[in-house]
Amino acid sequence: MFTGIVKELGEIEKISKSSALTKIGVKAKAIFIDAAVSDSISVDGVCLTLTDKKNSILYFDAVKSTIEKTNLKRLKLRDFVNLEPALRMGDRLGGHFVLGHIDCETKVKRIMKKNNYWQLEIISPVNFRKYAIDNGSVSLNGISLTIKKVTPRFFTVDIIPFTYENTNLKYKKVGDWLNVEFDYLLKSADGHRL
């Protein structure tokens, strides 16, 4: 389980794809120090198991179904990904409960620079629209955010300068794909019926 508070930007150093498994190598500094093989780490919001670590690179394996459902299939060398280690007992819960189980991916519809923050319009995935509610929580690429406005076709999130500068949102453009995980508590209350 995670909180959606990104701890570090990692850089993709290696990608090796086969028909059943994709191996991903992510260069990291802060997380590398404390990470142990078998740890769960959120990579752009996807809960992955650390399979190896050496020379400042964290290695993960992703099965075919994970790759198909997430934007990990779009990763290229030198791309930046948001990293967060799993929540430990006693840690502060600064965001919201994020499982790292991506519901879907969707596109950035619009990016607007306001006076001192950014606003993103995100296309609402058809099968999950009922979970996009005003002031509800959502995880985009592993970032805990609050939904500010909902329309039938998109929802809006505000991005403060700190979040913008310390996550990979600063590299995103209109049309880019984001991993989306809607609020687990909201889905649980609904029985997760789609």
Side-chain angles (χ1 to χ4, degrees), residues 3-177:
T3 65
I5 304 299
V6 173
K7 300 299 185 190
E8 181 177 0
L9 270 178
E11 185 176 3
I12 300 298
E13 287 285 326
K14 298 186 179 185
I15 303 174
S16 172
K17 299 180 180 180
S18 69
S19 59
L21 201 66
T22 297
K23 294 182 177 292
I24 303 168
V26 182
K27 187 174 186 178
K29 294 179 182 174
I31 288 181
F32 183 88
I33 295 167
D34 292 327
V37 170
S38 83
D39 279 358
S40 292
I41 296 176
S42 171
V43 179
D44 258 7
V46 184
C47 179
L48 296 177
T49 300
L50 183 62
T51 58
D52 196 7
K53 60 177 271 191
K54 52 187 160 190
N55 301 323
S56 297
I57 300 177
L58 304 171
Y59 292 92
F60 305 93
D61 292 343
V63 296
K64 183 178 180 182
S65 60
T66 299
I67 293 297
E68 288 175 347
K69 193 172 188 177
T70 69
N71 68 7
L72 296 183
K73 64 180 159 288
R74 305 173 198 284
L75 288 177
K76 302 179 300 297
L77 294 178
R78 306 294 170 246
D79 280 351
F80 289 95
V81 289
N82 298 321
L83 299 175
E84 180 190 357
L87 184 65
R88 291 180 287 195
M89 293 299 286
D91 283 352
R92 291 182 180 176
L93 182 61
H96 71 281
F97 288 119
V98 177
L99 300 184
H101 304 162
I102 302 303
D103 290 312
C104 59
E105 55 175 342
T106 193
K107 286 185 178 181
V108 177
K109 179 180 184 288
R110 191 173 172 199
I111 301 171
M112 295 160 284
K113 176 69 169 76
K114 302 292 186 176
N115 288 336
N116 56 357
Y117 68 97
W118 287 260
Q119 193 171 77
L120 274 60
E121 285 182 2
I122 308 297
I123 295 173
S124 288
V126 174
N127 291 340
F128 294 89
R129 282 185 181 153
K130 64 183 174 180
Y131 300 122
I133 63 171
D134 289 338
N135 295 316
S137 296
V138 67
S139 169
L140 298 177
N141 272 13
I143 307 161
S144 175
L145 296 167
T146 301
I147 296 171
K148 291 298 179 182
K149 178 182 176 184
V150 178
T151 76
R153 299 195 181 275
F154 67 87
F155 62 88
T156 303
V157 294
D158 293 338
I159 311 297
I160 63 171
F162 181 87
T163 301
Y164 186 82
E165 287 301 324
N166 290 281
T167 68
N168 64 4
L169 289 181
K170 65 184 171 185
Y171 301 114
K172 298 304 176 186
K173 306 177 301 298
V174 170
D176 282 354
W177 292 89

